[in-house]
């Protein structure tokens, strides 16, 4: 998702700009199946108190002094968000708790086709409520699809498509590592009747066991077959082939025995290139659709703002 709006930068640039949005901070209209199908879309941003103070008496904003006064009595609420809205980095390394009258506060912006509303939940105040400044009867948010779906707002992503197959590869690697552990440290079969003291059995270097009778009959490592490695290699190649097929890509590193489409003859390589080209063309098409939407909105902004 991306937001298109007018911007005035400190480096002197004045004109339309695009901000990429965190997918966790975009809330679609309930029941809508796409941005074009929506009457509104809500975008959440996190702002420090200095942002609200900088608004001052800017046109189009209201309740600024009340919001600043209330937020100065509070602690930023970004640290208290739940796990569904936190990024992976926030989950692994939680940010430090902010002191009072500092930190970042939520701002919910509801963009309608003819009206924009900003609401600050921590202060229970509306920051902005006015008509759409773009004056184009469109939402300022656009999105770039990977795989569009006719009945799903978020559509389908490459990561979602390959998730289950990647989990299978992860499970195979875990099983293979267990096999390697068994090969390095195999189970030991022990003759209980030949042990004088069970507590003396220690599986460690230079350990001393108390045994009876013939030492050769006390214990022996259990020799397992080496079929685990062969089974892993076959399964790994098969799952990798399925994953590559799923994404329309391939690699000449995969053994030819896993499938005819992975052959290394000139004709096979030509077919692989054709399939990857088809996938690239699909990606390019959706990127072009995204850029057309972005440019249309930017050209509209230039024509509305630069009236001269």
């Amino acid at each position: 998702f991306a937001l298109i709006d007018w911007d005035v930068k400190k480096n002197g640039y004045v004109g339309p700009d695009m901000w990429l949005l965190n997918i966790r901070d975009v809330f679609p209209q309930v029941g809508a199946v796409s941005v074009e199908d929506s009457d509104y879309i809500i975008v959440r941003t996190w702002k420090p108190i200095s942002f609200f103070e900088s608004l001052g008496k800017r046109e189009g904003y209201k309740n600024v002094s009340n919001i600043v006064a209330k937020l100065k009595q509070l602690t930023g609420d970004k640290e208290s968000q739940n796990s569904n809205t936190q990024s992976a980095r926030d989950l692994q390394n939680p940010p430090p708790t902010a002191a009072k009258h500092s930190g970042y506060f939520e701002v919910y912006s509801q963009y309608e086709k003819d009206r924009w509303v900003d609401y600050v939940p921590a202060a229970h105040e509306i920051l902005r409520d006015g008509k759409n400044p773009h004056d184009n009867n469109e939402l300022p948010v656009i999105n770039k699809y990977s795989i569009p779906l006719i009945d799903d707002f978020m559509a389908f992503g490459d990561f979602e498509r390959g998730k289950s197959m990647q989990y299978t590869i992860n499970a195979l690697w875990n099983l293979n590592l267990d096999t390697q552990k068994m090969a390095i440290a195999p189970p030991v079969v022990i003759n209980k009747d030949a042990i004088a003291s069970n507590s003396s059995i220690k599986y460690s270097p230079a350990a001393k066991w108390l045994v009876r009778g013939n030492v050769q009959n006390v214990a022996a490592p259990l020799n397992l077959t080496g079929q685990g490695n062969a089974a892993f290699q076959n399964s790994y190649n098969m799952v990798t082939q399925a994953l590559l097929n799923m994404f329309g890509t391939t690699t000449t590193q995969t053994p030819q025995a896993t499938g005819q489409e992975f052959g290394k003859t000139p004709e096979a390589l030509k077919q692989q290139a054709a399939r990857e080209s088809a996938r690239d063309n699909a990606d390019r098409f959706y990127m072009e659709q995204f850029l057309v939407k972005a440019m249309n909105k930017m050209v509209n902004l230039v024509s509305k703002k630069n009236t001269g």
Side-chain angles (χ1 to χ4, degrees), residues 108-152:
Y108 285 93
S109 301
Q110 178 166 305
Y111 298 105
E112 301 178 28
K113 294 182 178 180
D114 59 346
R115 177 187 179 199
W116 289 9
V117 180
D118 292 346
Y119 176 68
V120 185
H124 302 289
E125 294 277 4
I126 290 178
L127 180 62
R128 175 177 60 172
D129 187 354
K131 75 181 193 70
N132 179 358
H134 294 192
D135 195 24
N136 58 355
N137 200 35
E138 293 180 5
L139 303 179
V141 175
I142 59 176
N143 62 331
K144 190 268 177 187
Y145 284 121
S146 176
I147 306 169
L149 297 176
I150 198 170
D151 59 349
D152 190 293

Side-chain angles (χ1 to χ4, degrees), residues 165-181 229 232-233 235-237 239-240:
M165 202 59 67
Q166 183 60 50
Y167 277 170
T168 304
I169 292 178
N170 295 349
L172 282 173
W173 273 113
N174 289 330
L175 290 171
N176 183 56
L177 290 176
D178 287 340
T179 302
Q180 301 302 326
K181 291 177 185 177
N229 288 328
F232 163 77
Q233 195 60 52
S235 300
Y236 181 76
N237 289 338
V239 176
T240 302

Side-chain angles (χ1 to χ4, degrees), residues 192-203:
K192 185 178 68 172
D193 295 333
I195 300 298
S197 174
N198 291 336
S199 62
S200 70
I201 300 176
K202 305 292 183 184
Y203 197 66

